[in-house]
Amino acid sequence: QVQLVESGGGLVQPGGSLRLSCAASGFTFSRFGMSWYRQAPGKERELVASIVSNDGMPNYADSVKGRFTISRDNAKNTVYLQMNSLKPENTAVYYCKAVWAVYEYWGQGTQVTVSS
């Protein structure tokens, strides 16, 4: 029953923007901290951004600070990642993660490609 479904990925030119969405179901979304990770070919999966259950304390990888924004809408059970000023090195599969206590759930990932 637990599902995390990402959407909004695709192809974008350098300097462009995308907004990723992750729709959650099957658990009490408001209690979970939410995160976005990414994995580029040949590289380790890395944390991009996270936000706690009370909508506060967003955290970002240094490489995306000032360009990416994580947010959540508990009424819609959805977490977002707004990505601006995209660079080719941001190309990766982006994953949504939910965590609370002993529970940890992952989405299937969505491809983001930044290329001219």
Side-chain angles (χ1 to χ4, degrees), residues 5 9 11 18 34 38 41 46 52 58-59 81 83 89 98 102 114:
V5 181
L11 176 64
L18 284 174
M34 302 297 299
R38 68 186 177 196
E46 65 173 343
V52 297
N59 292 292
L81 184 67
M83 305 185 295
E89 54 263 42
V102 300
V114 185

Side-chain angles (χ1 to χ4, degrees), residues 14-91:
S17 298
L18 284 174
R19 190 179 77 156
L20 305 183
S21 299
C22 175
S25 61
F27 61 95
T28 305
F29 178 82
S30 62
R31 297 191 299 192
F32 279 68
M34 302 297 299
S35 302
W36 288 96
Y37 286 74
R38 68 186 177 196
Q39 187 167 23
K43 295 185 178 180
E44 298 293 319
R45 188 171 299 185
E46 65 173 343
L47 177 64
V48 177
S50 63
I51 187 167
V52 297
S53 59
N54 65 358
D55 293 342
M57 295 295 292
N59 292 292
Y60 301 94
D62 287 343
S63 62
V64 307
K65 287 180 179 177
R67 298 189 297 118
F68 289 15
T69 303
I70 188 171
S71 61
R72 65 190 296 160
D73 186 338
N74 287 344
K76 296 183 177 180
N77 286 4
T78 302
V79 63
Y80 305 94
L81 184 67
Q82 178 68 45
M83 305 185 295
N84 298 327
S85 301
L86 282 162
K87 305 174 181 179
E89 54 263 42
N90 299 144
T91 295

